[in-house]
Coordinates of all heavy atoms in Angstrom, one line a residue:
S49 N -7.3 14.7 7.2 CA -7.8 15.3 6.0 C -7.0 16.5 5.5 O -6.8 16.6 4.3 CB -9.3 15.8 6.2 OG -10.1 14.6 6.5
A53 N -5.1 16.5 1.9 CA -5.3 17.6 1.0 C -4.0 18.3 0.6 O -3.8 18.6 -0.6 CB -6.3 18.6 1.5
F57 N -4.8 15.8 -2.8 CA -5.9 16.6 -3.3 C -7.0 16.7 -2.2 O -7.0 15.8 -1.3 CB -6.5 16.1 -4.6 CG -6.9 14.6 -4.5 CD1 -8.1 14.2 -4.0 CD2 -6.1 13.6 -5.0 CE1 -8.5 12.9 -3.9 CE2 -6.4 12.3 -4.9 CZ -7.6 11.9 -4.4
P58 N -7.8 17.7 -2.2 CA -8.8 17.8 -1.2 C -9.9 16.7 -1.3 O -10.3 16.4 -2.4 CB -9.4 19.2 -1.4 CG -9.1 19.6 -2.8 CD -7.8 18.8 -3.1
L59 N -10.4 16.2 -0.2 CA -11.4 15.2 -0.2 C -12.8 15.8 -0.2 O -13.8 15.2 -0.6 CB -11.3 14.2 1.0 CG -10.0 13.4 0.9 CD1 -9.9 12.6 2.2 CD2 -10.0 12.4 -0.3
T60 N -12.9 17.1 0.3 CA -14.2 17.8 0.3 C -13.9 19.2 -0.1 O -12.7 19.7 -0.1 CB -14.8 17.9 1.7 OG1 -14.0 18.6 2.6 CG2 -15.0 16.5 2.3
M61 N -14.9 19.9 -0.5 CA -14.7 21.3 -1.0 C -14.2 22.2 0.1 O -13.5 23.2 -0.1 CB -16.0 21.9 -1.6 CG -16.4 21.2 -2.9 SD -17.9 21.8 -3.6 CE -17.3 23.4 -4.2
A62 N -14.6 21.9 1.4 CA -14.1 22.7 2.5 C -12.6 22.6 2.7 O -12.0 23.5 3.2 CB -14.8 22.2 3.8
E63 N -11.9 21.6 2.1 CA -10.5 21.4 2.3 C -9.7 22.0 1.1 O -8.5 22.0 1.0 CB -10.1 20.0 2.5 CG -10.7 19.4 3.7 CD -10.9 17.9 3.7 OE1 -10.8 17.3 2.6 OE2 -11.2 17.4 4.8
A64 N -10.5 22.5 0.1 CA -9.8 23.0 -1.1 C -9.2 24.4 -0.8 O -9.9 25.3 -0.3 CB -10.8 23.2 -2.3
D65 N -7.9 24.5 -1.0 CA -7.2 25.7 -0.8 C -7.4 26.6 -2.0 O -6.7 26.4 -3.0 CB -5.7 25.4 -0.5 CG -4.9 26.7 -0.2 OD1 -5.5 27.8 0.0 OD2 -3.7 26.6 -0.3
C66 N -8.2 27.6 -1.9 CA -8.5 28.4 -3.1 C -8.0 29.8 -3.0 O -8.4 30.7 -3.7 CB -10.0 28.5 -3.3 SG -10.9 29.2 -1.9
E67 N -7.0 30.0 -2.1 CA -6.4 31.4 -1.9 C -5.5 31.7 -3.2 O -5.5 32.8 -3.6 CB -5.6 31.5 -0.7 CG -6.5 31.5 0.6 CD -5.7 31.7 1.8 OE1 -4.6 32.2 1.8 OE2 -6.2 31.3 2.9
T69 N -4.9 29.1 -5.9 CA -5.4 28.3 -7.1 C -6.6 27.5 -6.6 O -6.7 27.2 -5.5 CB -4.3 27.4 -7.7 OG1 -3.9 26.4 -6.7 CG2 -3.1 28.1 -8.2
W70 N -7.4 27.1 -7.6 CA -8.6 26.3 -7.3 C -8.1 24.8 -7.4 O -7.8 24.3 -8.4 CB -9.7 26.6 -8.3 CG -10.9 25.8 -8.0 CD1 -11.5 24.9 -8.8 CD2 -11.8 25.9 -6.9 NE1 -12.7 24.4 -8.3 CE2 -12.9 25.0 -7.1 CE3 -11.8 26.7 -5.7 CZ2 -13.9 24.9 -6.2 CZ3 -12.8 26.6 -4.8 CH2 -13.9 25.7 -5.1
T71 N -8.1 24.1 -6.2 CA -7.6 22.8 -6.2 C -8.7 21.7 -6.1 O -8.4 20.5 -6.1 CB -6.7 22.6 -4.9 OG1 -7.4 22.8 -3.8 CG2 -5.5 23.5 -5.0
W72 N -10.0 22.1 -6.1 CA -11.0 21.1 -5.9 C -11.0 20.1 -7.1 O -11.3 18.9 -6.9 CB -12.4 21.8 -5.8 CG -13.5 20.8 -5.8 CD1 -14.5 20.8 -6.7 CD2 -13.8 19.8 -4.9 NE1 -15.4 19.8 -6.4 CE2 -14.9 19.1 -5.2 CE3 -13.1 19.3 -3.7 CZ2 -15.5 18.1 -4.5 CZ3 -13.6 18.3 -3.0 CH2 -14.8 17.6 -3.4
G73 N -10.7 20.5 -8.3 CA -10.8 19.6 -9.4 C -9.5 18.7 -9.6 O -9.4 18.0 -10.6
D74 N -8.6 18.8 -8.7 CA -7.3 18.1 -8.8 C -7.5 16.6 -8.7 O -6.6 15.8 -9.1 CB -6.3 18.5 -7.8 CG -5.8 19.9 -8.1 OD1 -6.1 20.5 -9.1 OD2 -5.1 20.5 -7.2
A75 N -8.5 16.1 -8.1 CA -8.7 14.6 -7.9 C -9.0 14.1 -9.2 O -9.1 13.2 -9.7 CB -9.9 14.3 -6.9

Side-chain angles (χ1 to χ4, degrees):
S49 295
F57 52 85
L59 295 173
T60 67
M61 291 181 75
E63 296 155 352
D65 179 15
C66 60
E67 289 184 23
T69 61
W70 183 246
T71 60
W72 174 242
D74 290 352

